[in-house]
Amino acid sequence: MLRAGLMILLFCMACGDDEPIVQRAQPSAAVLAASTSFGEKTGVVHEVQMVGTVNVGFRYEPSELTIKVGDTVRWVNGSGFPHNVAFYADSIPDGASVIIDAVMPAEGKLGPMNGRIVIESGDAFEMDFVSAPTGTYTYFSVPQEAMGMLGTLTIEPQ
């Protein structure tokens, strides 16, 4: 299993591009209609750096972030090492998985609630939490989960 994961990681690294990439996704009308907490887009963008090396460890900076419904989170690769954001299904509010899947950029997505791996320093992706249920969301980086790369996102009402 580890060997297969390393092969995928090496493949993803070989497919890198020199241009920083920012991907953005927004929920469909059906997802918005099914949402339990509506909000309006606030225009507030919060940035989370994905950083670290084998020698110093891996982390999200900040590792804990509180936002409002309608805010955007932009995850940026700040270290040039492969990172991603994946949400634990048992550590998010009820109904949030549909919203996360709808607002997570689809290109390169590794699976449900499991975003693409960003490889180059400066690569990023954004998620708009306009229709997200309030509560606490715990997420991790698949390549560094075993090394403790975890983050917590708390979403409050507008």
Side-chain angles (χ1 to χ4, degrees):
M1 183 67 102
L2 179 60
R3 185 173 166 188
L6 287 173
M7 291 178 70
I8 291 170
L9 182 61
L10 289 173
F11 173 77
C12 290
M13 290 175 72
C15 296
D17 192 337
D18 292 339
E19 296 284 324
I21 298 170
V22 177
Q23 290 186 320
R24 177 195 273 307
Q26 297 202 4
S28 68
V31 168
L32 288 172
S35 174
T36 57
S37 62
F38 288 100
E40 295 180 18
K41 191 165 180 175
T42 63
V44 177
V45 178
H46 304 268
E47 189 169 285
V48 176
Q49 292 284 319
M50 301 180 285
V51 298
T53 66
V54 174
N55 295 332
V56 298
F58 298 95
R59 64 200 174 282
Y60 295 102
E61 290 181 354
S63 62
E64 297 179 10
L65 178 64
T66 299
I67 68 170
K68 303 279 187 195
V69 171
D71 288 358
T72 298
V73 178
R74 182 176 197 245
W75 283 276
V76 180
N77 185 333
S79 66
F81 202 89
H83 302 289
N84 86 327
V85 172
F87 291 85
Y88 289 111
D90 63 350
S91 298
I92 59 173
D94 289 341
S97 63
V98 172
I99 302 300
I100 290 169
D101 274 331
V103 300
M104 185 174 278
E107 183 180 336
K109 197 169 164 185
L110 299 179
M113 297 190 303
N114 192 343
R116 76 175 180 92
I117 293 178
V118 290
I119 299 167
E120 301 294 326
S121 184
D123 282 355
F125 68 91
E126 296 180 347
M127 292 173 60
D128 297 321
F129 290 93
V130 172
S131 58
T134 58
T136 302
Y137 296 65
T138 303
Y139 60 93
F140 62 98
S141 176
V142 170
Q144 294 87 26
E145 180 183 17
M147 293 172 261
M149 189 167 175
L150 302 172
T152 303
L153 175 65
T154 301
I155 302 177
E156 298 178 338
Q158 278 186 342

